Amino acid sequence: KHSGFLSVASNVSLVLNTDGVAIFRSSKRALWPVWLVINELPRHLRFIKKNMILAAMWLSKEKPTMTTFLRPVLDSINDLYVNGISVQTSSGQMQTRAMLLLNSVDLPARAILLNMIQVKGVKGPSILAISPSF
């Protein structure tokens, strides 16, 4: 028998996705939605809009500072992991908890997400930009 967080039938795992999208071709403003997808849904249902969670949105001429932008989202996911949420189902009330399993982003978004400098090139590595805060 398996044990652990996902062995509980009412618990779910999430994938986080974000990417910047220009509002219009001529616009300097970009929209950065943060989507959460529930992995336990059947694959053909996961990416239908009504089954996805729009967790946050950033609209600006500047790219988001991910530590600020994602903090409320990550705090909420942490609360779902620790405390869960009560959900009404056809068979009654149940407690559901969630955990962030992974994030799925393209290379430019990954660099921003990890506070890294992206090196341009076909297979260029990302370089960590370390900024001590003490």
Side-chain angles (χ1 to χ4, degrees):
K1 182 178 174 181
H2 296 287
S3 63
F5 183 85
L6 292 176
S7 66
V8 178
S10 61
N11 290 349
V12 296
S13 61
L14 305 170
V15 172
L16 181 146
N17 178 272
T18 188
D19 196 7
V21 180
I23 298 176
F24 304 105
R25 287 184 197 169
S26 61
S27 177
K28 297 201 185 297
R29 292 183 184 265
L31 180 67
W32 286 75
V34 175
W35 292 99
L36 298 173
V37 176
I38 301 170
N39 289 313
E40 285 66 32
L41 289 174
R43 188 174 299 170
H44 69 281
L45 297 176
R46 279 182 211 162
F47 296 99
I48 295 174
K49 260 189 198 175
K50 70 178 184 176
N51 295 330
M52 296 172 61
I53 302 164
L54 180 59
M57 198 174 303
W58 176 278
L59 175 63
S60 178
K61 291 180 183 178
E62 305 296 324
K63 293 179 181 174
T65 304
M66 289 297 179
T67 53
T68 303
F69 174 46
L70 291 179
R71 176 55 42 209
V73 174
L74 297 177
D75 287 347
S76 293
I77 294 170
N78 187 56
D79 186 55
L80 285 172
Y81 179 80
V82 173
N83 301 312
I85 187 170
S86 184
V87 178
Q88 183 66 41
T89 69
S90 57
S91 56
Q93 199 84 5
M94 82 174 182
Q95 190 73 7
T96 298
R97 293 172 54 213
M99 70 181 294
L100 183 62
L101 192 59
L102 60 101
N103 67 60
S104 176
V105 295
D106 63 10
L107 287 176
R110 182 182 75 167
I112 294 167
L113 190 67
L114 297 174
N115 192 30
M116 299 175 95
I117 299 166
Q118 183 184 1
V119 176
K120 304 279 186 205
V122 178
K123 294 185 180 181
S126 295
I127 300 170
L128 182 58
I130 299 173
S131 174
S133 58
F134 51 91

